[in-house]
Amino acid sequence: MELIQNTPDLSAYLAADDVIDHHHPVVGEVAARLAKEAVDSYAYARLAFEFVRDTIPHSQDSGDPRVTWRASDVLEQGTGICYAKAHALAALLRAEDIPTALCYQKFDVVHGLVAVRFNGAWHRQDPRGNKPGVDAQFSLDGERLAFTPEPESNEMDYPVLYAEPHPAVLSVLKAAPDRLYLWKTLPTAL
């Protein structure tokens, strides 16, 4: 699948906004801590991925009722669903000048992940969080995502790489008072 930037301006994939708030002190503190352990940007990207995947539980898996959507809130509260975890990872990567896009897959509902740009190419990564049957890994040598769509079941990879969260995703996150409500309103398509 060919990944398609929704804007040709690569600097858009480094920008901060209300969601990917990589200038927030919480994001900066985590990024600085991870950067001290990294020998290069590739090592930093792997550490940031593993940090979000392994230390921030997916709220559905953990039973946490809180809904987070802003990267700094995800890092501060230590919880989020796939979209929120993707926002947190994007903020950590952009904080270290690694172009990062938000991208999506369609299953019963839309699933969120990121793509990082290394060596002139985009590489999708899924920080959702591992559990039995899910083994997502950071990789630039072929995708190691949490889930693989089955086209015969109307599942698909969306090829578009977004510089900002898709409005359908962001609106349901912001409107949800808790995860149970959110689960009833997740987008089923983009």
Side-chain angles (χ1 to χ4, degrees):
M1 174 183 66
E2 181 183 347
L3 298 173
I4 304 162
Q5 292 178 206
N6 78 325
T7 176
D9 182 4
L10 197 58
S11 69
Y13 298 95
L14 292 168
D17 58 26
D18 286 345
V19 180
I20 303 170
D21 57 343
H22 60 76
H23 297 305
H24 190 282
V26 170
V27 178
E29 184 246 308
V30 174
R33 189 172 68 239
L34 294 171
K36 285 181 186 176
E37 299 176 35
V39 296
D40 58 23
S41 60
Y42 174 80
Y44 174 84
R46 178 184 296 279
L47 286 170
F49 169 84
E50 291 171 352
F51 176 83
V52 173
R53 182 194 65 193
D54 299 342
T55 67
I56 299 171
H58 188 286
S59 57
Q60 177 71 13
D61 295 349
S62 67
D64 194 319
R66 296 175 292 170
V67 175
T68 54
W69 53 269
R70 183 177 286 118
S72 58
D73 291 341
V74 174
L75 296 173
E76 190 170 58
Q77 296 179 37
T79 191
I81 67 166
C82 61
Y83 313 130
K85 292 182 68 156
H87 300 165
L89 180 55
L92 290 172
L93 294 170
R94 289 181 183 186
E96 290 295 313
D97 295 321
I98 298 170
T100 307
L102 299 167
C103 47
Y104 304 92
Q105 296 175 306
K106 180 194 179 303
F107 298 98
D108 290 337
V109 295
V110 174
H111 174 62
L113 49 152
V114 303
V116 296
R117 189 160 178 90
F118 277 104
N119 303 321
W122 290 100
H123 306 273
R124 294 188 310 163
Q125 312 295 327
D126 192 342
R128 181 221 178 274
N130 290 339
K131 63 180 187 174
V134 175
D135 183 28
Q137 301 295 324
F138 185 85
S139 175
L140 302 181
D141 299 320
E143 294 184 337
R144 298 279 311 273
L145 305 177
F147 309 109
T148 302
E150 296 177 8
E152 62 276 5
S153 298
N154 272 344
E155 298 174 350
M156 65 178 285
D157 288 308
Y158 289 107
V160 179
L161 301 174
Y162 296 91
E164 300 172 347
H166 192 283
V169 167
L170 194 55
S171 66
V172 297
L173 286 171
K174 286 183 169 184
D178 59 39
R179 187 183 39 78
L180 294 176
Y181 179 89
L182 176 64
W183 232 242
K184 297 174 189 171
T185 61
L186 291 173
T188 57
L190 296 180

